Amino acid sequence: MKSNYFIGITLLLVVLLFGFTLKQLGVITIPNNNVEDKSDITENQSSSEKGLDEELDDLQEIMERQAEKYPDTFFLNKPTEEKVIALTFDDGPEHINTPELLDLFREEDIKATFFLLGDNVKQFPEIAQRMVEEGHQVANHSWDHDNFKELSNEDVLHEQIIPTSEVIEKVTGVYPTIIRPPFGAMNDETIEFLGYQGWKIVNWSVDSFDWHYAEDTHEEIIGQVERHYHPGGIILLHNGVMHKQTVEALPGIIELLRKEGYKFKTIDELLF
């Protein structure tokens, strides 16, 4: 009996020691049901979302002020009651999603505006060329998506804008003079500097939120457009390599707007 007792105690100690060792090594974990910790996580997530909302509100206020201050240079939409609207796409061209978008536009007989990155045009010249051949408008979205607010006016012009329009012209025969700054952000003095030289800055009035690709599904992208579309609107969309949800959302966006009687225009057709 004593022998069995000591054997049992020994086995129990071995099991406890083995379990402690695994925990120390991180192989097993003990659940933590601390309510305060969970609340902290939720609070951090809410704070992060609130911070993003505040940043977007600030950007919207800045853009609206700049559009009012520079009405001949900086544009968010077309003041009109006519049911016309522009689909615009940032960050292309690329070889995965852009061809699918172009195929859909060809089937639907719709012309869009693509704000291109110079570095991407250099990598995918045939896709930029296809855009122009099929009647779409190409515009300038900088060379490599650098933040214009952190650059001097000379660097914005000579390192980001001019090289991009030059490579687009080399590939397509079109030299764009319409710009959309990365993140939609530009200092007033840069707007004045570029406007004096004849450049036009075009941002948006309807944010599809498709850039928030980590969370937004194609249904949510459609819903965002549905809540905010309006006559003379400019819709912000993206055609980068990570924007498959945009491709999936586009048929729904087109159907929604056509049912409401909207006609699709390029930026030149809408604004100029």
Side-chain angles (χ1 to χ4, degrees):
M1 293 292 293
K2 289 184 178 181
S3 176
N4 291 338
Y5 173 79
F6 285 118
I7 291 174
I9 292 295
T10 302
L11 289 174
L12 178 61
L13 290 173
V14 169
V15 170
L16 291 174
L17 180 61
F18 183 66
F20 176 78
T21 302
L22 291 178
K23 180 178 182 299
Q24 293 297 106
L25 292 173
V27 177
I28 62 173
T29 59
I30 297 176
N32 185 350
N33 295 319
N34 189 307
V35 176
E36 292 183 1
D37 289 346
K38 291 182 178 180
S39 298
D40 290 343
I41 292 172
T42 303
E43 184 177 346
N44 289 337
Q45 291 173 339
S46 299
S47 298
S48 176
E49 292 172 1
K50 183 179 179 181
L52 176 60
D53 289 341
E54 290 177 349
E55 287 180 14
L56 292 175
D57 288 342
D58 289 345
L59 174 61
Q60 186 64 34
E61 289 181 9
I62 291 169
M63 291 196 306
E64 289 174 359
R65 177 186 59 77
Q66 290 174 330
E68 184 176 354
K69 185 176 181 180
Y70 306 105
D72 298 325
T73 302
F74 192 96
F75 303 87
L76 301 180
N77 56 41
K78 171 72 173 180
T80 182
E81 296 300 319
E82 185 183 1
K83 288 188 174 182
V84 290
I85 204 160
L87 298 174
T88 69
F89 295 82
D90 289 4
D91 298 347
E94 50 76 60
H95 64 299
I96 298 173
N97 296 316
T98 307
E100 290 190 41
L101 291 174
L102 293 174
D103 289 345
L104 177 62
F105 286 140
R106 184 169 53 194
E107 293 171 7
E108 297 288 347
D109 192 24
I110 290 173
K111 302 299 183 279
T113 301
F114 291 89
F115 288 86
L116 307 181
L117 295 173
D119 194 35
N120 285 356
V121 173
K122 186 177 179 181
Q123 294 182 61
F124 306 104
E126 70 286 352
I127 299 177
Q129 186 176 32
R130 179 184 170 186
M131 290 173 178
V132 172
E133 289 175 350
E134 296 185 1
H136 301 289
Q137 182 177 350
V138 290
N140 190 317
H141 193 43
S142 82
W143 182 262
D144 57 5
H145 215 274
D146 205 350
N147 188 342
F148 284 5
K149 296 190 74 172
E150 298 177 357
L151 302 176
S152 70
N153 292 340
E154 292 296 329
D155 285 347
V156 167
L157 181 62
H158 294 291
E159 294 184 7
Q160 294 292 326
I161 294 176
I162 288 178
T164 298
S165 286
E166 286 179 344
V167 74
I168 292 173
E169 182 182 36
K170 181 178 179 181
V171 168
T172 69
V174 176
Y175 187 91
T177 56
I178 293 175
I179 308 159
R180 175 172 289 165
F183 318 107
M186 186 179 284
N187 294 319
D188 285 16
E189 64 177 31
T190 305
I191 295 174
E192 293 177 7
F193 174 76
L194 296 174
Y196 181 77
Q197 300 178 65
W199 299 89
K200 305 292 186 184
I201 297 98
V202 177
N203 276 357
W204 60 86
S205 59
V206 181
D207 188 347
S208 72
F209 249 71
D210 68 338
W211 52 269
H212 203 235
Y213 48 77
E215 295 184 14
D216 279 15
T217 65
H218 70 277
E219 292 94 348
E220 290 169 328
I221 294 169
I222 296 170
Q224 185 75 0
V225 173
E226 184 174 16
R227 287 188 291 274
H228 298 288
Y229 73 88
H230 62 91
I234 297 174
I235 302 177
L236 172 66
L237 297 151
H238 292 79
N239 62 311
V241 294
M242 302 180 72
H243 293 96
K244 185 65 175 177
Q245 293 289 348
T246 303
V247 177
E248 295 178 359
L250 197 57
I253 293 172
I254 292 171
E255 181 181 8
L256 163 71
L257 294 172
R258 277 189 166 156
K259 281 184 177 180
E260 295 298 322
Y262 278 79
K263 295 181 179 179
F264 298 96
K265 303 289 185 180
T266 65
I267 290 297
D268 273 349
E269 293 170 337
L270 184 72
L271 297 179
F272 309 116

